[in-house]
Amino acid sequence: MDLNTLTQFLAVARLEHLSRAAEELRVAQPSLSRSIARLEAELGAPLFDRGGRLRLNEAGRVFRGHVERSLGELEAGRRAVAEAAGRGLGTVRLASETFLAFSGPLAAFKRAHPEVEIELHQLSAEEMGRRLRAREIDLAVASQPIAAEGLESVLLLDEEVGLAVALGHPLAARAAVGIDDLADQPFIAARPGHWQRRLLERLFAGRGLVPRIVCEGDEAGTIAELISAGLGIGLVPAIARRTATRLPLTWVAVDSPDCRRALTLSWGAGGRLPTAARLLRDAVAAWDWTGGGPA
């Protein structure tokens, strides 16, 4: 059982597909298959169910958690040695669902610490949890709970989420709208799993409704562009009024106490964060997210 085999196992466990994992790892599929078989023989138990499609089984899920933590500790040790040897503060790895509102705090941090390299990862909340646990990222900012054990977190912002509509839209003159008013409206929405999509579906489900989604996107800027073009409407957090580009949009309040989001910063508990990560964590936590400037 060597580090290369464990790394290969994590790739197969994540993708649940041998050929795609082999392509990602740049190894031959038969060689990868033999490595996984030898690992299972050494452990004395299968890690995958092979009835049709490859699936990680319960033993595999248990083992994956231990492997992620072990490799994460090794990476943390490597970075700690580099820091102790005086090779600078190194790199801090930050993940978020979108970086639309991060230009201010990241620019301020870079001015204060030009020697620190910032590595950004745009990930889903589920992927953030996995990578935090494996120490593949240092910090994660999410607008929905991260389902992973052993994390510490701090609330950055609790804000209203409103409705964005194009100028001239029939709803643009309204001060507020109810969910029932939106039942037949076309929505430009984020893809399934994104916090905005989950909020939209949860609000509609509370009224026994299903939103009519005419377009799905990954980029908040693209969604705003499509809304401004009159192709649909969409949910937009209050912070976007400051950070979004100047598009012909109108923000309308949604008459529901549940139409809000909580922006949370998370990191792994119990381990020592590298200095660069601690500095960025403190800077992000101290940022005035409501006013858009240093606290």
Side-chain angles (χ1 to χ4, degrees):
M1 190 183 302
D2 56 32
L3 294 179
N4 186 54
T5 299
L6 295 178
T7 301
Q8 290 179 340
F9 162 72
L10 288 181
V12 177
R14 174 167 47 85
L15 298 171
E16 293 187 319
H17 199 285
L18 273 173
S19 61
R20 287 205 294 269
E23 182 179 355
E24 180 180 294
L25 294 165
R26 297 185 179 181
V27 299
Q29 181 176 329
S31 174
L32 179 60
S33 182
R34 288 193 295 271
S35 292
I36 297 301
R38 285 195 297 269
L39 178 62
E40 290 177 317
E42 184 173 353
L43 291 169
L47 302 173
F48 298 89
D49 293 330
R50 293 173 170 81
R53 181 180 171 183
L54 193 70
R55 294 285 189 183
L56 191 68
N57 61 24
E58 181 58 29
R61 285 189 287 273
V62 170
F63 186 60
R64 177 180 60 183
H66 287 280
V67 173
E68 287 176 337
R69 288 190 292 273
S70 298
L71 295 185
E73 283 295 329
L74 287 174
E75 173 61 15
R78 183 193 67 78
R79 297 173 74 190
V81 168
E83 186 178 319
R87 296 202 291 269
L89 296 180
T91 300
V92 56
R93 303 162 300 178
L94 171 68
S96 184
E97 294 150 306
T98 176
F99 291 98
L100 188 62
F102 277 84
S103 58
L106 292 182
F109 177 81
K110 193 65 178 176
R111 286 193 298 270
H113 306 283
E115 73 281 10
V116 176
E117 182 177 339
I118 304 174
E119 191 177 289
L120 302 178
H121 300 261
Q122 188 170 359
L123 304 172
S124 66
E126 288 81 2
E127 187 68 4
M128 286 185 220
R130 187 192 71 78
R131 294 202 187 188
L132 279 172
R133 188 172 57 246
R135 297 203 181 189
E136 295 174 4
I137 57 174
D138 302 304
L139 307 168
V141 177
S143 300
Q144 56 186 311
I146 297 178
E149 296 179 356
L151 299 183
E152 294 184 23
S153 62
V154 61
L155 179 66
L156 300 177
L157 176 68
D158 184 356
E159 67 170 349
E160 175 189 5
V161 176
L163 187 73
V165 302
L167 298 181
H169 190 280
L171 296 177
R174 300 274 295 272
V177 294
I179 302 301
D180 292 332
D181 299 324
L182 307 176
D184 298 322
Q185 292 288 334
F187 273 86
I188 311 294
R191 296 189 186 278
H194 191 277
W195 74 267
Q196 286 170 305
R197 179 66 170 269
R198 286 180 170 171
L199 175 59
L200 176 64
E201 292 172 344
R202 189 165 63 248
L203 291 171
F204 270 64
R207 305 293 296 176
L209 302 170
V210 176
R212 183 161 73 91
I213 297 171
V214 297
C215 180
E216 296 177 341
D218 292 321
E219 293 294 333
T222 301
I223 292 174
E225 291 272 4
L226 294 174
I227 294 172
S228 69
L231 299 180
I233 63 176
L235 295 180
V236 178
I239 199 172
R241 299 184 189 187
R242 291 195 320 273
T243 58
T245 56
R246 295 186 177 275
L247 294 171
L249 290 172
T250 297
W251 275 265
V252 182
V254 177
D255 188 13
S256 171
D258 298 322
C259 196
R260 305 185 65 84
R261 76 152 176 172
L263 193 66
T264 304
L265 171 66
S266 300
W267 62 93
R272 180 180 176 272
L273 277 175
T275 300
R278 285 189 285 111
L279 289 171
L280 183 57
R281 178 196 63 190
D282 295 344
V284 170
W287 186 258
D288 181 3
W289 289 89
T290 302

